Amino acid sequence: AAVKGRWDYIAGKRLMYRSELVDPNAVKFHFDGVIPGRTALMLEPYRGESEWRGETNLTTEEIIDVVVYLDRLGIRVDAHCMGSGAARQFLDAVEVAREKNGPGGKRHQMTHSGFVNPQDRRRFAELNVVPEFSPIYWYPSPAVEGMKSLLSDAQVEEAFPVAPILAAGGRGVIGTDWPVTPVEGIWIGFETLVTREDPWGEVEGRL
């Protein structure tokens, strides 16, 4: 009952901001963390670790419960999923929601979609989930080099799988990751999406 009450509270909060011009009908969750903090949930352990794969901020049961519940209410779930493990858990939860509530629910969104296992890439089209990408980060930088030092070569190869997801029928969008980055970063993101190069020309090479 306590968990159900929490979802009711979250769903009801959107009504505080509703007006004739604004109809907020989505809830964002941070289902996992980030690669630099080794808190993004991966399917395989981090480099140098025998077991640690990161973690989610909710249990698997809670993730399924909230996605099914909000889907039933017609509220879109926007899920921060950086790691391949979090991506799979979210897609699994949407699959349960489609089975329980019917296939015609809201188009839920996966924010960042940084690492998606090849076995899961076709599921965006199958489950009508939108992958949101953040290409403002996709160029050689200290952050990217740090990512490479924390992940295995195989994990790095799975990073930012835009083309494979689109080829499998998915329909994606890009975002700025504001307020972590400037909102005008959308223009930088367009450039790095295409070039994978440092937009300021300070670092050579391509990602």
Side-chain angles (χ1 to χ4, degrees), residues 70-105:
L70 295 179
D71 179 78
R72 185 179 300 123
L73 294 179
I75 300 173
R76 180 170 63 85
V77 176
D78 185 349
H80 166 113
C81 298
M82 181 58 71
S84 55
R88 178 167 292 177
Q89 286 202 16
F90 179 50
L91 292 168
D92 287 347
V94 175
E95 184 171 348
V96 175
R98 301 299 188 220
E99 292 171 354
K100 291 189 173 184
N101 302 333

Side-chain angles (χ1 to χ4, degrees), residues 7-8 10-12 14-15 18 23-27 29 65-78 97-98 100-109:
W7 304 156
D8 285 335
I10 291 172
R14 77 194 194 284
L15 303 178
R18 181 171 290 173
D23 183 18
N25 202 40
V27 178
F29 292 90
D65 190 60
V66 70
V67 171
V68 171
Y69 184 70
L70 295 179
D71 179 78
R72 185 179 300 123
L73 294 179
I75 300 173
R76 180 170 63 85
V77 176
D78 185 349
R98 301 299 188 220
K100 291 189 173 184
N101 302 333
K106 287 290 184 179
R107 294 187 70 194
H108 303 296
Q109 177 171 296

Side-chain angles (χ1 to χ4, degrees), residues 95-130:
E95 184 171 348
V96 175
R98 301 299 188 220
E99 292 171 354
K100 291 189 173 184
N101 302 333
K106 287 290 184 179
R107 294 187 70 194
H108 303 296
Q109 177 171 296
M110 183 184 298
T111 297
H112 303 313
S113 310
F115 295 82
V116 180
N117 186 270
Q119 297 180 13
D120 293 319
R121 294 171 184 174
R122 57 178 174 76
R123 302 176 71 193
F124 289 91
E126 293 173 353
L127 298 171
N128 197 24
V129 173
V130 178

Side-chain angles (χ1 to χ4, degrees), residues 37-178:
R38 299 194 304 169
T39 51
L41 179 63
M42 305 297 292
L43 289 173
E44 301 294 334
Y46 281 83
R47 187 185 291 272
E49 298 282 352
S50 59
E51 297 183 3
W52 179 249
R53 301 184 296 115
E55 58 189 356
T56 52
N57 296 314
L58 298 172
T59 67
T60 300
E61 293 75 16
E62 287 174 330
I63 289 174
I64 293 173
D65 190 60
V66 70
V67 171
V68 171
Y69 184 70
L70 295 179
D71 179 78
R72 185 179 300 123
L73 294 179
I75 300 173
R76 180 170 63 85
V77 176
D78 185 349
H80 166 113
C81 298
M82 181 58 71
S84 55
R88 178 167 292 177
Q89 286 202 16
F90 179 50
L91 292 168
D92 287 347
V94 175
E95 184 171 348
V96 175
R98 301 299 188 220
E99 292 171 354
K100 291 189 173 184
N101 302 333
K106 287 290 184 179
R107 294 187 70 194
H108 303 296
Q109 177 171 296
M110 183 184 298
T111 297
H112 303 313
S113 310
F115 295 82
V116 180
N117 186 270
Q119 297 180 13
D120 293 319
R121 294 171 184 174
R122 57 178 174 76
R123 302 176 71 193
F124 289 91
E126 293 173 353
L127 298 171
N128 197 24
V129 173
V130 178
E132 183 271 339
F133 301 104
S134 305
I136 191 172
Y137 301 113
W138 299 356
Y139 63 90
S141 67
V144 169
E145 292 306 312
M147 176 190 76
K148 292 180 179 178
S149 71
L150 293 171
L151 301 176
S152 69
D153 293 342
Q155 288 170 326
V156 172
E157 286 296 318
E158 293 181 3
F160 320 132
V162 180
I165 290 176
L166 298 183
R171 303 173 70 178
V173 298
I174 68 171
T176 64
D177 200 23
W178 179 88

